[in-house]
Amino acid sequence: MNYFPDEVIEHVFDFIASHRDRNSISLVCKSWHKIERFSRKQVFIGNCYAINPERLIGRFPCLKSLTLKGKPHFADFNLVPYEWGGFVLPWIEALARSRVGLEELRLKRMVVTDESLELLSRSFANFKSLVLVSCEGFTTDGLASIAANCRHLRELDLQENEIDDHRGQWLNCFPDSCTTLTSLNFACLKGETNVAALERLVARSPNLKSLKLNRAVPLEALARLMSCAPQLLDLGVGSYENEPDPESFTKLMAAIKKCTSLRSLSGFLEVAPLCLPAFYPICQNLISLNLSYAAEIQGNHLIKLIQLCKRLQRLWILDSIGDKGLVVVADTCKELQELRVFPSDIHGEEDNNAAVTEVGLVAISAGCPKLHSILYFCKQMTNAALITVARNCPNFIRFRLCILEPHKPDHITSQSLDEGFGAIVQACKGLRRLSVSGLLNDQVFLYIGMYAEQLEMLSIAFAGDTDKGMLYVLNGCKKLRKLEIRDSPFGNAALLADVHKYETMRSLWMSSCEVTLGGCKRLAQNSPRLNVEIINENENNRMERNEEDEREKVDKLYLYRTVVGTRKDAPPYVRIL
Amino acid sequence: MAYEKVNELNLKDTELCLGLPGRTEEIKQEQEVSCVRSNNKRQFEETLDDEESTPPTKTQIVGWPPVRSYRKNNSVSYVKVSMDGAPYLRKIDLKTYKNYPELLKALENMFKFTVGEYSEREGYKGSGFVPTYEDKDGDWMLVGDVPWDMFSSSCKRLRIMKGSDAPALDSSSL
C-alpha cells in the first residue's frame, strides 16, 4: 500500500463503511490516519460527553453525517432527572461555525430545542436527513423550521420523542418546491394534523418510501394517502376508527391492494379490529410488523393477521398475543429474525391472563431457526425453558428477558434462574447484548464472565448476592462496553477492583446499589480519563452539611470515559468528582 | 425457597409479627435467599414512609418494568366503570383524559347523569351521584381528592354511587 498514491488509498477506504473498521484503519500509520481523517463522511459518537464538537470537527472536517447519543440508557425509564444533560445545541453551533457540510444528523436521548432546530435548518444548505429517537425539549415550531428551510430534505424521522404539539401548521411549512421527501415519520405527535397539507405533501413526493402517521390521521385520509403513494415500502397507520362505513372500507381496501411494494407496517394507534382485514392482501409481502402500540387488538385478531405474514423477519407485538399466539408465530414466521414482546399491562391490573410465559418463548425458539434478537417481557420463566431455548437458538446476538416481577424464581422449581441464563451465554457464542431478570445469584455472573466472550452490553436489575457477581463480569467480559446495574448489592470492592477496565468501556451505570460516596471519590482520584458523576436528587440538603459522610450510599453513579474532562453543563444535583 | 402454602393459603399472612404487615414477609424472603444482600431494604424503607400496608408491587418501583416512558405514557389503560342500577358496565381509557373535569364530563355523557359540585370539605353535593374509585390498595376513594396524575395511575375501577347508597361524609347530615 506504500506505493499507491493517496487517492487510491482513499478510494479503497471508501468501501469501508463501518466506523469501527475505519477507527482501526486510522491506527495503522500516520499516513493512513491522515487519509482516513479527511475522507471520513460518517461519524458515530456513542456518548456526546466523551469528546467535544471542536475536537470532532478538527479531526473530521469533511464529515457529512453525525450520530450522537446523549443520556444513559436508563434515562428511558425515568431514572435520569430532566436537565441532566445531553444538549445538542453546542454541537450544532460548532458545526455551523466551522461550516461543516452537514447532511445528516441522528440523535438519541438528547435534549433538542426549537432554537437548535432553527439553527440547524438555516446553517446547512445541503441538509437532508434528521432522525430523532427518544429525544425531548422541542415543539412543532422547531419542526416547522426544518420543513420550511431545508430545501433538500429527504428524511424526517421522529421516533418516540416527547414533543410539545403546538397544533400549528408545521406540515404547511414544507414549500411547494419540496418534492424530495423519502421518509416522513411523525407518529409520536399528539396533536391535530393538517390532513389536507399532508395529502398535498405526499402527492408531490414521488420518492416517498416511508410514511408514518400519528393518531390524528383518520381512516378516509389514510385511503387517500395510500392512493397517492402506492410506491410506499413502509407505512405507519394512525387512527383506525371503530366502525368505518362500507364505502370508506372499500376505498381503503382498493388503495391497500395497490401498495404492492409495502414491506413494513406499524402504528394502529387507535384500533378497530374490524378494519384489519383490509390489510390481509399485502400481509404475504411484509417483512416487518410493529403492532406494539395496538393495545386494542385482541389476540385472535392478531393471530389471523399474523397467519398471513409468512415472510416476516421482524415482529414487535404486545403480550396480549398470548402463548397461543406465539405458537402461531412460530408455525408461520419461519424467516423471523427479531421478536419483541412488550407488556400490555404496565399499570398493574392484576388479573391479566393473556400475558406470555416460558411456553411462548420455547415455541418461538423451536419454530424460528433464524431468530437472533429477542426482547421478551413475561410473567414467569423456568430454567428448563431457557435451557431449551439455548439449545434451539444458539445464534442469539441480543437476548433481553424481563420477568415483570423482580426476584421471581423459576416458577416450577422455585430455584434461581442462574442455570437458565448460564445455558444461554454458553450456547450463544455470538451474544453481544444481554438483559437478565428474575431471581439471580452470583453464579449467573460467573457464567457470564466465563462464556459471554462477545458481550458488549449487559443490563442487570435486582440480581446478585455479593461483589463477586460484578467482579466476575468485569474480569471476564473482555469486550464489555456498557454495563448498567440497578438495585443490586454490588459495592465499592467491585467498583474499585479494576479501575482501568472502565477506560476500555463506554460507560458504567449503577443505581440503588451499595457503592458509597467514598468509593466513588477514590475511583475518581485514580482516573483522570473518566468522568465520575453522582446524581443525588436530594442533593440540596446534603450540600449544606459541612461534613460529608463518605459511607453514605450513592443513589446513582454514572461514569464514562472521556478525552475532554469534566463537562460544564451539569445541573446542580449532578456532582462530578 | 417458596412460600409455605397450605390449601393455597399463605401462612405468612396470618403470622403474628412486629412491624407493618407485608414488609417482614418480603424481607424474610430476601434473607432466605442470601445472607449478604441488603439492597432491597432501601426500596422497602421508602415505601414504609409512603404507603402503609402493601408491599411494593412492580408498578411502584421507579423505572420498572423497563419500558420507555414514551411507551408507558401511550399505553392504554382501561378501567371498568359501573353505575349503580345500570344493567351493564362500561370501560374507559383514563389516558384519554387530562384532568377531572374531562373525565367527569365523559362519565356524565356515558351514563346520562350529572355529578354535583365538588368541594374538598363535603365531596360532591347537589345531585345524589358520587363518583368513587378503587385504588391499588383496594380501597374505595372519592374521585377528585388527589392530583390527577396520582389518581390516573392508581385508579383500578370506577363506581358511580347513587344517592341513597352513598352515605354523606358529614355525619351531622344523617
Side-chain angles (χ1 to χ4, degrees), chain A residues 76-79 108 134 160-162 187-188 190 215 292-293 295-296 342-343 346-350 377 402-404 406-407 414 441 461-462 464-466 486-489 512-514 553, chain B residues 1-3 29-30 33-34 36-40 42-43 57-59 61-80 91 93 95 98 136 152-153 156:
Chain A
D76 276 346
F77 318 133
N78 286 339
L79 288 177
K108 189 168 187 180
S134 203
E160 300 190 335
N161 303 289
E162 293 291 348
C188 60
K190 308 240 173 83
R215 275 197 162 80
S292 63
Y293 283 101
E296 287 165 71
F342 292 96
I346 297 176
H347 303 282
E349 287 171 32
E350 304 299 315
F377 285 85
C402 181
I403 301 164
L404 290 167
H407 303 121
S414 299
N441 302 321
F462 305 101
D465 298 321
T466 73
R486 62 167 293 179
D487 294 276
S488 301
S512 304
C513 296
E514 301 288 305
K553 287 192 195 144
Chain B
M1 174 225 62
Y3 294 111
Q29 176 190 338
E30 305 316 322
V33 170
S34 102
V36 183
R37 178 195 327 212
S38 61
N39 61 298
N40 289 302
R42 196 205 304 275
Q43 94 207 18
T57 62
K58 57 182 183 281
T59 50
I61 302 171
V62 175
W64 193 264
V67 168
R68 260 191 199 158
S69 30
Y70 174 84
R71 187 176 282 281
K72 266 191 187 159
N73 295 339
N74 287 285
S75 71
V76 171
S77 56
Y78 276 97
V79 294
K80 291 182 188 169
K91 261 193 165 174
D93 176 10
K95 286 252 162 316
K98 296 193 197 64
K136 287 205 162 80
S152 65
S153 59
K156 288 182 71 170

Side-chain angles (χ1 to χ4, degrees), chain A residues 124-189:
Chain A
F124 308 104
N126 244 352
F127 193 74
K128 296 192 170 78
S129 168
L130 181 63
V131 180
L132 302 177
V133 179
S134 203
C135 296
E136 60 183 348
F138 60 107
T139 78
T140 45
D141 294 347
L143 298 179
S145 321
I146 298 289
N149 303 329
C150 299
R151 303 236 182 114
H152 301 287
L153 194 69
R154 291 200 196 145
E155 181 177 23
L156 179 59
D157 186 358
L158 309 169
Q159 297 175 31
E160 300 190 335
N161 303 289
E162 293 291 348
I163 305 175
D164 219 347
D165 198 324
H166 286 174
R167 286 145 213 254
Q169 298 295 324
W170 72 278
L171 275 171
N172 259 337
C173 295
F174 282 100
D176 288 341
S177 54
C178 174
T179 58
T180 47
L181 273 183
T182 59
S183 168
L184 179 63
N185 172 6
F186 58 95
C188 60
L189 283 182

Side-chain angles (χ1 to χ4, degrees), chain A residues 89 181-182 185 229 256 270 275 283 288 314 338 377 446 521 544 561:
Chain A
L89 184 60
L181 273 183
T182 59
N185 172 6
I256 290 172
E270 266 163 32
C275 295
C283 283
S288 171
R314 195 172 91 140
E338 179 188 332
F377 285 85
L446 175 64
K521 279 186 177 174
E544 282 157 17
R561 68 178 175 191

Side-chain angles (χ1 to χ4, degrees), chain A residues 75-302:
Chain A
D76 276 346
F77 318 133
N78 286 339
L79 288 177
V80 175
Y82 189 67
E83 303 226 327
W84 167 86
F87 308 107
V88 78
L89 184 60
W91 291 85
I92 297 178
E93 285 172 335
L95 290 161
R97 266 199 307 274
S98 310
R99 300 177 196 282
V100 167
L102 194 68
E103 295 183 9
E104 177 179 271
L105 187 62
R106 309 166 72 94
L107 304 176
K108 189 168 187 180
R109 282 190 288 274
M110 294 203 65
V111 176
V112 179
T113 57
D114 288 345
E115 183 194 352
S116 36
L117 289 175
E118 162 95 15
L119 182 61
L120 178 68
S121 73
R122 292 196 186 282
S123 308
F124 308 104
N126 244 352
F127 193 74
K128 296 192 170 78
S129 168
L130 181 63
V131 180
L132 302 177
V133 179
S134 203
C135 296
E136 60 183 348
F138 60 107
T139 78
T140 45
D141 294 347
L143 298 179
S145 321
I146 298 289
N149 303 329
C150 299
R151 303 236 182 114
H152 301 287
L153 194 69
R154 291 200 196 145
E155 181 177 23
L156 179 59
D157 186 358
L158 309 169
Q159 297 175 31
E160 300 190 335
N161 303 289
E162 293 291 348
I163 305 175
D164 219 347
D165 198 324
H166 286 174
R167 286 145 213 254
Q169 298 295 324
W170 72 278
L171 275 171
N172 259 337
C173 295
F174 282 100
D176 288 341
S177 54
C178 174
T179 58
T180 47
L181 273 183
T182 59
S183 168
L184 179 63
N185 172 6
F186 58 95
C188 60
L189 283 182
K190 308 240 173 83
E192 297 294 314
T193 293
N194 182 335
V195 176
L198 175 63
E199 286 180 39
R200 286 196 302 274
L201 180 61
V202 170
R204 66 176 184 274
S205 304
N207 296 324
L208 193 67
K209 296 283 186 285
S210 172
L211 178 64
K212 293 182 185 168
L213 311 172
N214 72 345
R215 275 197 162 80
V217 179
L219 206 61
E220 299 78 34
L222 178 64
R224 289 195 297 271
L225 287 164
M226 290 179 81
S227 299
C228 285
Q231 75 283 4
L232 280 178
L233 297 178
D234 179 8
L235 174 68
V237 171
S239 170
Y240 220 36
E241 289 158 26
N242 264 321
E243 279 155 27
D245 56 279
E247 202 191 319
S248 301
F249 189 72
T250 313
K251 280 190 189 155
L252 180 65
M253 280 188 69
I256 290 172
K257 274 205 186 113
K258 289 206 194 114
C259 292
T260 53
S261 306
L262 209 54
R263 296 286 172 271
S264 171
L265 198 57
S266 62
F268 297 93
L269 303 170
E270 266 163 32
V271 176
L274 301 172
C275 295
L276 281 183
F279 284 94
Y280 287 172
I282 48 103
C283 283
Q284 60 191 10
N285 301 330
L286 290 181
I287 57 175
S288 171
L289 182 59
N290 180 356
L291 294 173
S292 63
Y293 283 101
E296 287 165 71
I297 309 185
Q298 276 155 1
N300 50 335
H301 295 288
L302 287 174

